[in-house]
Amino acid sequence: RFMARFAPLGFTVAAETMDLMRGMVEAGGRVAVVVAGAGTAQRTVERLREAGVPGTHLEPGMEPTPDTVAVLCGSLQSGVILREAIAAAELLDAEFGIKGDSWGYGFNLGYLFQPTETTRFGIAYRSAIRHKNKGDAYLDSTALAQRISAASGLPLAAVQAAIPSTADGRADLRTPESVSFNAYHELDSRWAIMGDLTWTRHSRFQRLVVEAQPITTTYLQTKWDDTWRASIGTSYRYSDRLKVRLGYMYDQSPTDAAADVLPTMPDNDRQWLSLGASWQLDKKNSIDLAYSYIFIRDRSIDRYYDSPTTPDVSRGTPVPNLGTGGTSNGQVTGEIRSHAQIFGVQWNHAF
């Protein structure tokens, strides 16, 4: 602490102390240094790194890893709370949630070519849209705080005050662009067929970082691939007022490997069966009805959240702002079965 604050005056820490901390870290021990103030914490990390000792700035309640010196911003009491949090971390969970929204802007371009009165072709482009989601995050660590209070003898209120419970949340996301090719042909006065082929650049979405400091930063690796979607359909004009439709679509999933599936979005290849009808009420008004049943392939999930210090780094989910120290450790494995049904009603009015 004094080294960080009074370094400009020539204050240093004995080489023996630095060697001791370095040796403890290299031996796999967990070292925590408690300082007062975020600025002092950052300068402490800088001085440690200058001396060849790996250091990471952690907030109270966050768990240090064995490969770095954890610099904790708070009081000496916070250091006790941190020590007890390490002991309780493997026993209890805490509930974290975040909610936010954003505005995004994009554009569509299209071209239609009609060689005959009964046949037409089209191409459409939809741009990517950048979102900067902002909102509020919370951490409900009541059970963890009670465990720490009981183990350390500290008042529960003091423990809860040392563990952050609210934060501003942020997650930047860019939705993918897509290109569609369409065709339509009237067989006769009643029957028509149509088709669509769409390419979507899902490979833009390689990771999602949700920042909610001082609570946590969540990093999700996706490794999504570009996808294709193909559909074919037909329509039948029963009368001047009623038209019915039938369609089928195959929608490719952007993720293949079980290790890359997100538990919050257990996506897989889908097949759609759709029925629809249009009823012309008068010259200016009509109603559309639609129903779709979506068959979704069963999905296996085997996702790891390993420490980046393990040999299999590619399977890990490191938190980038914590350098080499900080992950969401664990594994999610299982089988997911799902399906969906969609109902739609639309009223059209021509001016």
Side-chain angles (χ1 to χ4, degrees), residues 291-312:
Y291 167 76
S292 295
Y293 187 91
I294 307 175
F295 300 87
I296 306 174
R297 287 178 53 194
D298 294 347
R299 165 60 78 184
S300 297
I301 180 172
D302 191 12
R303 187 174 182 87
Y304 290 81
Y305 298 86
D306 294 341
S307 169
T309 59
T310 60
D312 193 2

Side-chain angles (χ1 to χ4, degrees), residues 108 124-128 176-180 198-201 229:
N108 297 329
Y125 171 80
R126 178 169 182 154
S127 71
E177 62 267 47
S178 63
V179 180
S180 298
T198 298
W199 172 82
T200 304
R201 192 179 179 183
R229 183 188 69 197

Side-chain angles (χ1 to χ4, degrees), residues 50-130:
E50 289 175 359
V53 180
T56 302
H57 177 201
L58 297 183
E59 296 294 338
M62 300 184 71
E63 179 185 358
T65 56
D67 58 352
T68 183
V69 174
V71 180
L72 177 67
C73 176
S75 62
L76 292 177
Q77 188 181 70
S78 297
V80 176
I81 293 173
L82 175 65
R83 185 190 68 230
E84 299 301 334
I86 295 172
E90 297 181 358
L91 302 178
L92 298 172
D93 290 331
E95 179 182 335
F96 171 75
I98 187 169
K99 182 178 181 180
D101 52 44
S102 73
W103 287 90
Y105 304 92
F107 64 91
N108 297 329
L109 292 176
Y111 176 76
L112 180 65
F113 173 65
Q114 187 168 353
T116 68
E117 293 183 358
T118 59
T119 303
R120 56 180 180 265
F121 301 95
I123 183 172
Y125 171 80
R126 178 169 182 154
S127 71
I129 299 177
R130 186 181 299 275

Side-chain angles (χ1 to χ4, degrees), residues 165-178:
S165 59
T166 60
D168 294 330
R170 177 189 178 96
D172 294 343
L173 175 67
R174 187 175 185 180
T175 60
E177 62 267 47
S178 63

Side-chain angles (χ1 to χ4, degrees), residues 8 26 37 42 53 103 113 144 147 149 168 178 181 190 192 212 236-237 256 277 282 288 291 299 322 325 332:
E26 292 175 353
Q42 186 58 41
V53 180
W103 287 90
F113 173 65
L144 181 61
R147 163 68 176 82
S149 176
D168 294 330
S178 63
F181 306 91
R190 292 186 179 272
Y236 176 75
R237 184 178 296 277
D256 294 323
D282 52 43
D288 292 334
Y291 167 76
R299 165 60 78 184
L322 296 184
V332 179

